[in-house]
Amino acid sequence: MSWFIVKRLTSLVPILLGISIITFILLQLIPGDPAVAYLRLSNIPPTDVAVAELRLKLGLDNPLHIQYLEWLGKVIQLDLGMSYVSKNTVWDEILLHLIPTIQLTLTALFFIVIISLPIGVLSAIYKGKWIDQFSRIIAYISVSMPTFWFGFLVIFFLSVKLDLFPVLGRGTLAHLILPSMTLAFGYIGTYIRLLRASMLENLNEPFVVYAKVRGLRQRQIMSRHVLKKSILPVVTGLGMSFGNMLGGAVIVETIFAWPGMGQLFVSSILNQDYPMIQGCVLFMSVIFVFCNLLVDVTYSFLDPRIRLEGGK
């Protein structure tokens, strides 16, 4: 098992290096001059002399490969630079906004699990019955309705009309319900259908017949054998979805004024805060990569064949 984890960690090195190169290149493609943006956000007139001095100070006059190596050296030391807007380090700003995003994402993941898994299991057990038809309707609406539209709907009905939940900001538990539901809704239909399809496939496997011959009850067969095997693709998908939600909650955080990473990233783009943009892209990319690693490790615990194949 330890060799499996070491092998996966080693494979991350070229991936992370590639991410750093892409992140640096994307920053160069942003229109404008970082020196001019810095002076403007610092309320300093961007004269030719001031811009030239700042470019020299920031090392922007160096060739691109020198700039990249200097930046990479700082990143390895966990130095992502300083925000042009707040004058705080990029790390401080990221950590300040990361906690609300993790809180939002974990709550959304909770809603996905408690809603999609029971419905997916029941729709597989009672194939063709009313619960199966109901799950199809939910799945269709979930995957077809845009996130921003669902967000506006829950705001209108649950906040404006019924006055059940607050609309904007972060404070109490009630503030968390609507944005997390909105973030989760687009994934619920996917996992309902994924679990249903996986269970129906496994119900036709020979091990189910053998379990029935041994005299096991239907409930035991479903819980101990079919569900355990069917949950593997769902675990993989949830792990990848967690990374996607961490980095892709921009729309939800903007609609509900949730002070997370998405809102930080949008404001950084609007303010042309180059170090913050670069830091956010790099950080969220690394988080996504490590989420995939965690999925691989979890998968190997659920299915030992994965580690055996990885150890060859």
Side-chain angles (χ1 to χ4, degrees), residues 204-219:
N204 296 321
E205 293 292 327
F207 70 85
V208 175
V209 178
Y210 298 152
K212 291 180 179 179
V213 171
R214 289 167 54 196
L216 295 180
R217 297 180 180 178
Q218 183 70 12
R219 180 177 299 179

PDB file of all heavy atoms in Angstrom, residues 204-219:
ATOM      1  N   ASN A 204     -26.775  -8.126 -12.294  1.00  0.00           N
ATOM      2  CA  ASN A 204     -26.734  -9.213 -13.276  1.00  0.00           C
ATOM      3  C   ASN A 204     -25.439 -10.022 -13.227  1.00  0.00           C
ATOM      4  O   ASN A 204     -25.233 -10.908 -14.066  1.00  0.00           O
ATOM      5  CB  ASN A 204     -26.918  -8.645 -14.689  1.00  0.00           C
ATOM      6  CG  ASN A 204     -28.278  -8.009 -14.883  1.00  0.00           C
ATOM      7  OD1 ASN A 204     -29.283  -8.529 -14.390  1.00  0.00           O
ATOM      8  ND2 ASN A 204     -28.329  -6.886 -15.588  1.00  0.00           N
ATOM      9  N   GLU A 205     -24.582  -9.721 -12.261  1.00  0.00           N
ATOM     10  CA  GLU A 205     -23.317 -10.427 -12.150  1.00  0.00           C
ATOM     11  C   GLU A 205     -23.521 -11.802 -11.476  1.00  0.00           C
ATOM     12  O   GLU A 205     -24.462 -11.993 -10.695  1.00  0.00           O
ATOM     13  CB  GLU A 205     -22.325  -9.599 -11.329  1.00  0.00           C
ATOM     14  CG  GLU A 205     -21.883  -8.311 -12.009  1.00  0.00           C
ATOM     15  CD  GLU A 205     -21.025  -8.579 -13.228  1.00  0.00           C
ATOM     16  OE1 GLU A 205     -20.268  -9.582 -13.234  1.00  0.00           O
ATOM     17  OE2 GLU A 205     -21.121  -7.799 -14.202  1.00  0.00           O
ATOM     18  N   PRO A 206     -22.617 -12.746 -11.745  1.00  0.00           N
ATOM     19  CA  PRO A 206     -22.762 -14.097 -11.160  1.00  0.00           C
ATOM     20  C   PRO A 206     -22.720 -14.116  -9.635  1.00  0.00           C
ATOM     21  O   PRO A 206     -23.358 -14.987  -9.013  1.00  0.00           O
ATOM     22  CB  PRO A 206     -21.572 -14.860 -11.750  1.00  0.00           C
ATOM     23  CG  PRO A 206     -21.242 -14.136 -13.024  1.00  0.00           C
ATOM     24  CD  PRO A 206     -21.545 -12.692 -12.748  1.00  0.00           C
ATOM     25  N   PHE A 207     -22.000 -13.174  -9.015  1.00  0.00           N
ATOM     26  CA  PHE A 207     -21.886 -13.240  -7.553  1.00  0.00           C
ATOM     27  C   PHE A 207     -23.241 -13.024  -6.877  1.00  0.00           C
ATOM     28  O   PHE A 207     -23.452 -13.472  -5.740  1.00  0.00           O
ATOM     29  CB  PHE A 207     -20.848 -12.232  -7.041  1.00  0.00           C
ATOM     30  CG  PHE A 207     -21.256 -10.794  -7.147  1.00  0.00           C
ATOM     31  CD1 PHE A 207     -22.021 -10.191  -6.161  1.00  0.00           C
ATOM     32  CD2 PHE A 207     -20.847 -10.012  -8.223  1.00  0.00           C
ATOM     33  CE1 PHE A 207     -22.380  -8.867  -6.244  1.00  0.00           C
ATOM     34  CE2 PHE A 207     -21.196  -8.683  -8.319  1.00  0.00           C
ATOM     35  CZ  PHE A 207     -21.973  -8.098  -7.327  1.00  0.00           C
ATOM     36  N   VAL A 208     -24.173 -12.345  -7.558  1.00  0.00           N
ATOM     37  CA  VAL A 208     -25.512 -12.162  -6.991  1.00  0.00           C
ATOM     38  C   VAL A 208     -26.262 -13.492  -6.979  1.00  0.00           C
ATOM     39  O   VAL A 208     -26.940 -13.841  -6.005  1.00  0.00           O
ATOM     40  CB  VAL A 208     -26.293 -11.097  -7.803  1.00  0.00           C
ATOM     41  CG1 VAL A 208     -27.731 -10.983  -7.286  1.00  0.00           C
ATOM     42  CG2 VAL A 208     -25.598  -9.740  -7.718  1.00  0.00           C
ATOM     43  N   VAL A 209     -26.125 -14.239  -8.059  1.00  0.00           N
ATOM     44  CA  VAL A 209     -26.750 -15.565  -8.127  1.00  0.00           C
ATOM     45  C   VAL A 209     -26.183 -16.487  -7.044  1.00  0.00           C
ATOM     46  O   VAL A 209     -26.928 -17.183  -6.347  1.00  0.00           O
ATOM     47  CB  VAL A 209     -26.538 -16.190  -9.521  1.00  0.00           C
ATOM     48  CG1 VAL A 209     -27.154 -17.595  -9.574  1.00  0.00           C
ATOM     49  CG2 VAL A 209     -27.140 -15.301 -10.604  1.00  0.00           C
ATOM     50  N   TYR A 210     -24.858 -16.467  -6.880  1.00  0.00           N
ATOM     51  CA  TYR A 210     -24.227 -17.305  -5.850  1.00  0.00           C
ATOM     52  C   TYR A 210     -24.699 -16.910  -4.454  1.00  0.00           C
ATOM     53  O   TYR A 210     -24.911 -17.774  -3.589  1.00  0.00           O
ATOM     54  CB  TYR A 210     -22.707 -17.174  -5.938  1.00  0.00           C
ATOM     55  CG  TYR A 210     -22.131 -17.638  -7.263  1.00  0.00           C
ATOM     56  CD1 TYR A 210     -20.953 -17.085  -7.749  1.00  0.00           C
ATOM     57  CD2 TYR A 210     -22.758 -18.630  -8.003  1.00  0.00           C
ATOM     58  CE1 TYR A 210     -20.414 -17.496  -8.973  1.00  0.00           C
ATOM     59  CE2 TYR A 210     -22.242 -19.048  -9.219  1.00  0.00           C
ATOM     60  CZ  TYR A 210     -21.073 -18.480  -9.701  1.00  0.00           C
ATOM     61  OH  TYR A 210     -20.556 -18.877 -10.898  1.00  0.00           O
ATOM     62  N   ALA A 211     -24.864 -15.597  -4.240  1.00  0.00           N
ATOM     63  CA  ALA A 211     -25.325 -15.134  -2.928  1.00  0.00           C
ATOM     64  C   ALA A 211     -26.740 -15.618  -2.653  1.00  0.00           C
ATOM     65  O   ALA A 211     -27.080 -16.005  -1.523  1.00  0.00           O
ATOM     66  CB  ALA A 211     -25.254 -13.606  -2.864  1.00  0.00           C
ATOM     67  N   LYS A 212     -27.578 -15.628  -3.679  1.00  0.00           N
ATOM     68  CA  LYS A 212     -28.946 -16.118  -3.496  1.00  0.00           C
ATOM     69  C   LYS A 212     -28.954 -17.623  -3.222  1.00  0.00           C
ATOM     70  O   LYS A 212     -29.744 -18.121  -2.408  1.00  0.00           O
ATOM     71  CB  LYS A 212     -29.777 -15.805  -4.743  1.00  0.00           C
ATOM     72  CG  LYS A 212     -30.059 -14.324  -4.943  1.00  0.00           C
ATOM     73  CD  LYS A 212     -30.887 -14.078  -6.215  1.00  0.00           C
ATOM     74  CE  LYS A 212     -31.188 -12.598  -6.390  1.00  0.00           C
ATOM     75  NZ  LYS A 212     -31.972 -12.341  -7.641  1.00  0.00           N
ATOM     76  N   VAL A 213     -28.074 -18.345  -3.918  1.00  0.00           N
ATOM     77  CA  VAL A 213     -27.979 -19.794  -3.703  1.00  0.00           C
ATOM     78  C   VAL A 213     -27.541 -20.107  -2.276  1.00  0.00           C
ATOM     79  O   VAL A 213     -27.996 -21.083  -1.668  1.00  0.00           O
ATOM     80  CB  VAL A 213     -27.005 -20.422  -4.721  1.00  0.00           C
ATOM     81  CG1 VAL A 213     -26.720 -21.877  -4.377  1.00  0.00           C
ATOM     82  CG2 VAL A 213     -27.571 -20.302  -6.132  1.00  0.00           C
ATOM     83  N   ARG A 214     -26.661 -19.265  -1.742  1.00  0.00           N
ATOM     84  CA  ARG A 214     -26.197 -19.468  -0.356  1.00  0.00           C
ATOM     85  C   ARG A 214     -27.271 -19.134   0.658  1.00  0.00           C
ATOM     86  O   ARG A 214     -27.088 -19.358   1.857  1.00  0.00           O
ATOM     87  CB  ARG A 214     -24.971 -18.590  -0.104  1.00  0.00           C
ATOM     88  CG  ARG A 214     -23.715 -19.049  -0.839  1.00  0.00           C
ATOM     89  CD  ARG A 214     -22.656 -17.961  -0.800  1.00  0.00           C
ATOM     90  NE  ARG A 214     -22.397 -17.538   0.577  1.00  0.00           N
ATOM     91  CZ  ARG A 214     -21.765 -16.400   0.879  1.00  0.00           C
ATOM     92  NH1 ARG A 214     -21.368 -15.576  -0.085  1.00  0.00           N
ATOM     93  NH2 ARG A 214     -21.536 -16.099   2.128  1.00  0.00           N
ATOM     94  N   GLY A 215     -28.385 -18.583   0.209  1.00  0.00           N
ATOM     95  CA  GLY A 215     -29.494 -18.303   1.111  1.00  0.00           C
ATOM     96  C   GLY A 215     -29.478 -16.920   1.740  1.00  0.00           C
ATOM     97  O   GLY A 215     -30.229 -16.678   2.698  1.00  0.00           O
ATOM     98  N   LEU A 216     -28.660 -16.021   1.219  1.00  0.00           N
ATOM     99  CA  LEU A 216     -28.643 -14.670   1.755  1.00  0.00           C
ATOM    100  C   LEU A 216     -29.916 -13.924   1.397  1.00  0.00           C
ATOM    101  O   LEU A 216     -30.484 -14.114   0.321  1.00  0.00           O
ATOM    102  CB  LEU A 216     -27.427 -13.895   1.205  1.00  0.00           C
ATOM    103  CG  LEU A 216     -26.046 -14.399   1.624  1.00  0.00           C
ATOM    104  CD1 LEU A 216     -24.960 -13.530   0.998  1.00  0.00           C
ATOM    105  CD2 LEU A 216     -25.899 -14.408   3.141  1.00  0.00           C
ATOM    106  N   ARG A 217     -30.345 -13.077   2.289  1.00  0.00           N
ATOM    107  CA  ARG A 217     -31.540 -12.286   2.033  1.00  0.00           C
ATOM    108  C   ARG A 217     -31.241 -11.194   1.016  1.00  0.00           C
ATOM    109  O   ARG A 217     -30.105 -10.797   0.827  1.00  0.00           O
ATOM    110  CB  ARG A 217     -32.047 -11.664   3.338  1.00  0.00           C
ATOM    111  CG  ARG A 217     -32.480 -12.692   4.383  1.00  0.00           C
ATOM    112  CD  ARG A 217     -32.956 -11.992   5.637  1.00  0.00           C
ATOM    113  NE  ARG A 217     -33.378 -12.956   6.656  1.00  0.00           N
ATOM    114  CZ  ARG A 217     -33.811 -12.616   7.870  1.00  0.00           C
ATOM    115  NH1 ARG A 217     -33.869 -11.319   8.202  1.00  0.00           N
ATOM    116  NH2 ARG A 217     -34.185 -13.548   8.731  1.00  0.00           N
ATOM    117  N   GLN A 218     -32.320 -10.691   0.401  1.00  0.00           N
ATOM    118  CA  GLN A 218     -32.162  -9.651  -0.613  1.00  0.00           C
ATOM    119  C   GLN A 218     -31.495  -8.413  -0.042  1.00  0.00           C
ATOM    120  O   GLN A 218     -30.642  -7.780  -0.687  1.00  0.00           O
ATOM    121  CB  GLN A 218     -33.537  -9.297  -1.198  1.00  0.00           C
ATOM    122  CG  GLN A 218     -33.507  -8.262  -2.318  1.00  0.00           C
ATOM    123  CD  GLN A 218     -32.898  -8.789  -3.592  1.00  0.00           C
ATOM    124  OE1 GLN A 218     -32.697 -10.007  -3.729  1.00  0.00           O
ATOM    125  NE2 GLN A 218     -32.577  -7.908  -4.520  1.00  0.00           N
ATOM    126  N   ARG A 219     -31.866  -8.064   1.194  1.00  0.00           N
ATOM    127  CA  ARG A 219     -31.281  -6.874   1.824  1.00  0.00           C
ATOM    128  C   ARG A 219     -29.790  -7.066   2.053  1.00  0.00           C
ATOM    129  O   ARG A 219     -29.000  -6.140   1.856  1.00  0.00           O
ATOM    130  CB  ARG A 219     -31.984  -6.585   3.152  1.00  0.00           C
ATOM    131  CG  ARG A 219     -31.452  -5.367   3.882  1.00  0.00           C
ATOM    132  CD  ARG A 219     -32.246  -5.088   5.148  1.00  0.00           C
ATOM    133  NE  ARG A 219     -33.640  -4.815   4.859  1.00  0.00           N
ATOM    134  CZ  ARG A 219     -34.561  -4.560   5.795  1.00  0.00           C
ATOM    135  NH1 ARG A 219     -34.210  -4.577   7.083  1.00  0.00           N
ATOM    136  NH2 ARG A 219     -35.808  -4.305   5.461  1.00  0.00           N
TER     137      ARG A 219
END
